[in-house]
Amino acid sequence: MPPRKPAKAAKKKAPKKMPAFTKPSAQTVTGFERATEALAGLERRTMFGYPSVFLNGNMLASIFQDRVMVRLSEADRADAIKRAGAKPFEPMPGRGMKEYVDFPAHVTGDVRALRGWIERGMAYVGTLPKKSAKKE
């Protein structure tokens, strides 16, 4: 019987390091609050330490770092990318969140424009099955 070769040491992948999250500017928080304050049926929560709004238990929009992301239908996502310069939302490079787009500063700094996109998101998220609160 030939001698056994020593087993190769298994290569361990280094765990992906979470990026340092930054705080949003006061302007981003104020704009988000003003864009969502008069919209009926929204529930305010904190997601990943940032202000967020939910509709029927489904996340609709949130601040992430100093950006605002909104959940939109496929057609509205395409429109947002084409007309508003939005891009698919990725909290970490290569880790996109389906159905969410990240709006550029010229939209998030314009309360009316941001509210319009959030209202479009509400129309879509309102069609999704309701999520019940999780039991602790």
Side-chain angles (χ1 to χ4, degrees):
M1 217 154 118
R4 295 178 66 187
K5 292 183 181 179
K8 288 185 179 180
K11 288 185 179 181
K12 288 186 178 182
K13 287 186 177 181
K16 289 192 177 206
K17 186 178 178 184
M18 286 294 288
F21 292 158
T22 58
K23 291 185 178 185
S25 68
Q27 181 181 357
T28 299
V29 173
T30 300
F32 183 77
E33 288 173 354
R34 289 182 60 212
T36 59
E37 68 188 353
L39 300 175
L42 297 184
E43 177 188 354
R44 296 186 181 284
R45 295 188 202 170
T46 301
M47 182 61 71
F48 307 116
Y50 299 103
S52 303
V53 290
F54 286 69
L55 179 63
N56 298 327
N58 293 293
M59 187 164 62
L60 165 64
S62 179
I63 292 175
F64 183 77
Q65 298 191 31
D66 202 30
R67 307 177 322 219
V68 176
M69 54 97 164
V70 180
R71 189 175 196 174
L72 296 169
S73 69
E74 185 176 353
D76 284 340
R77 284 192 308 274
D79 195 32
I81 290 166
K82 182 179 178 183
R83 290 191 323 121
K87 59 185 178 183
F89 175 66
E90 292 185 345
M92 290 177 24
R95 299 284 193 138
M97 283 180 66
K98 263 181 140 179
E99 301 184 335
Y100 293 89
V101 295
D102 180 356
F103 283 96
H106 74 88
V107 174
T108 61
D110 180 342
V111 173
R112 241 187 243 167
L114 182 58
R115 180 179 292 141
W117 288 109
I118 292 172
E119 287 172 339
R120 288 171 80 164
M122 287 179 71
Y124 172 63
V125 173
T127 67
L128 301 175
K130 292 182 181 181
K131 287 188 177 178
S132 56
K134 291 182 180 180
K135 294 180 182 179
E136 293 183 23

